[in-house]
Amino acid sequence: MNDAGVFAVLSQDSSQFVQNFLTVTGLLFSILVGQTYYFMYQQQEAIYYALFNEVTEAKSLLEQVALVCQGRSMYQNVLSSISKYVQYDLKQLQADPAVLLSSRPIDDPLESIMYMTSVGVPSSVYETVRSLRQARAGRLGALQRKLPYVHMLLLWLLALIELVSFPLLGAGTQTIGGYNILTVEGCLFGVMVSGIVMTLRVVGELWRPAGGAYNVDGVLGIMVRGLEEELQARQSGSATYVANKQQPSPQFDPIVLTSNDSTKATDSTQIKHQGFSFSFVLFTVFKQVMKYFRRI
């Protein structure tokens, strides 16, 4: 289309139709992208909190198991169950969280730990396992995608509509400023396209639960690395922890007597001996009196 009259109308745009079209599409795009970014950032923050909570509960379970089961035949089996939980559950960020929560494996490692440490009634490990399951549910809930795939497609479609309005808004300006003005508008249009694409890519990376730039893979690897090293050390028995060398506290604290307490104890002992001697004398006198009355 190379009509001078059309270019003249677009350059003047007395009705401001094209400008209003660009304003509406830009406002809609800004609101939706801003709200989506804020929502995805809050979800990413919740994932971090949930992972830290779950790894802390897993470490607590490991310490409690070492305290309760160390030296027993089932100790290695319990440590093996914790290792399976870390490998096949805690580190599975790519799997669907709803499927992991609904499908129960045949050999659930946490359930195996409860069975091995309980005799008739649940043991003290039950509370720790229960807290770990709650932390696991929080992690799976944070990893679950809240926005569908069609939401991202709609954002890209809205961005495309906004970008299409820029050439319409700049059409006809060459009739006023010459064809050199199109070069400037082309540079500005390229910068705008780059900014919009970059913004949508950031939102897309936040939308991915794992495997992207804004994910928890690196942090989870660092946290789990220490837990795995501790598990391997306890399984092989190559590492000795300072806490394991400490003896349990006695049931009753030893009584340490000071000099004043020793003097008081000595005085009380002497008083007891004097009272016992006086009672013995009275008993002897009473016995002699009774013998006398019997003779009479």
Side-chain angles (χ1 to χ4, degrees), residues 205-266:
E205 291 295 328
L206 287 173
W207 180 70
R208 299 172 60 184
Y214 298 89
N215 56 62
V216 296
D217 294 344
V219 178
L220 180 61
I222 295 174
M223 290 189 297
V224 173
R225 187 187 309 162
L227 184 60
E228 290 176 340
E229 291 176 355
E230 186 177 354
L231 273 171
Q232 293 176 1
R234 291 185 183 275
Q235 286 178 340
S236 60
S238 58
T240 304
Y241 296 91
V242 179
N244 294 341
K245 296 181 180 180
Q246 297 178 358
Q247 299 295 330
S249 58
Q251 183 178 4
F252 301 102
D253 295 333
I255 300 175
V256 180
L257 298 177
T258 60
S259 59
N260 294 332
D261 295 335
S262 300
T263 304
K264 292 179 180 179
T266 304

Side-chain angles (χ1 to χ4, degrees), residues 8-287:
V9 173
L10 290 176
S11 61
Q12 295 176 4
D13 193 17
S14 58
S15 63
Q16 295 184 349
F17 176 79
V18 179
Q19 294 182 6
N20 292 334
F21 174 76
L22 176 63
T23 302
V24 171
T25 55
L27 181 61
L28 292 176
F29 180 76
S30 301
I31 292 175
L32 290 179
V33 171
Q35 291 295 326
T36 303
Y37 177 82
Y38 176 75
F39 179 78
M40 298 305 299
Y41 185 81
Q42 292 292 326
Q43 181 179 358
Q44 200 74 10
E45 185 179 4
I47 293 174
Y48 276 101
Y49 285 131
L51 284 176
F52 273 95
N53 187 22
E54 187 172 4
V55 172
T56 303
E57 292 293 340
K59 285 183 175 291
S60 299
L61 178 62
L62 179 59
E63 294 172 356
Q64 189 172 7
V65 162
L67 178 63
V68 174
C69 305
Q70 192 171 13
R72 300 182 180 179
S73 58
M74 63 179 177
Y75 183 53
Q76 294 296 329
N77 295 330
V78 174
L79 293 180
S80 178
S81 298
I82 297 178
S83 180
K84 289 180 181 179
Y85 168 76
V86 174
Q87 293 293 331
Y88 301 110
D89 197 328
L90 181 58
K91 297 173 66 175
Q92 297 299 320
L93 297 178
Q94 298 288 349
D96 190 1
V99 175
L100 285 177
L101 187 62
S102 60
S103 62
R104 176 184 174 186
I106 299 176
D107 51 346
D108 188 4
L110 297 181
E111 186 177 3
S112 300
I113 292 173
M114 287 193 299
Y115 281 155
M116 285 185 288
T117 57
S118 302
V119 180
V121 295
S123 63
S124 59
V125 183
Y126 172 76
E127 293 296 333
T128 307
V129 173
R130 180 172 177 269
S131 300
L132 183 57
R133 287 192 181 276
Q134 291 178 350
R136 175 178 179 267
R139 186 248 306 174
L140 294 177
L143 286 173
Q144 181 64 40
R145 286 181 177 177
K146 277 71 173 183
L147 298 179
Y149 184 73
V150 67
H151 182 86
M152 302 302 298
L153 292 179
L154 291 176
L155 287 181
W156 281 101
L157 180 61
L158 189 59
L160 180 62
I161 294 174
E162 183 179 3
L163 291 176
V164 168
S165 63
F166 276 91
L168 295 177
L169 184 62
T173 55
Q174 73 276 9
T175 60
I176 300 176
Y179 285 94
N180 292 328
I181 195 66
L182 295 180
T183 304
V184 179
E185 291 181 352
C187 295
L188 294 177
F189 180 73
V191 172
M192 181 61 66
V193 171
S194 301
I196 291 178
V197 171
M198 188 182 303
T199 303
L200 290 179
R201 290 298 298 170
V202 170
V203 175
E205 291 295 328
L206 287 173
W207 180 70
R208 299 172 60 184
Y214 298 89
N215 56 62
V216 296
D217 294 344
V219 178
L220 180 61
I222 295 174
M223 290 189 297
V224 173
R225 187 187 309 162
L227 184 60
E228 290 176 340
E229 291 176 355
E230 186 177 354
L231 273 171
Q232 293 176 1
R234 291 185 183 275
Q235 286 178 340
S236 60
S238 58
T240 304
Y241 296 91
V242 179
N244 294 341
K245 296 181 180 180
Q246 297 178 358
Q247 299 295 330
S249 58
Q251 183 178 4
F252 301 102
D253 295 333
I255 300 175
V256 180
L257 298 177
T258 60
S259 59
N260 294 332
D261 295 335
S262 300
T263 304
K264 292 179 180 179
T266 304
D267 295 340
S268 62
T269 304
Q270 293 177 357
I271 292 173
K272 289 181 180 179
H273 284 296
Q274 292 176 1
F276 178 75
S277 301
F278 183 72
S279 300
F280 181 75
V281 171
L282 288 179
F283 177 74
T284 304
V285 172
F286 178 75
K287 187 176 180 181

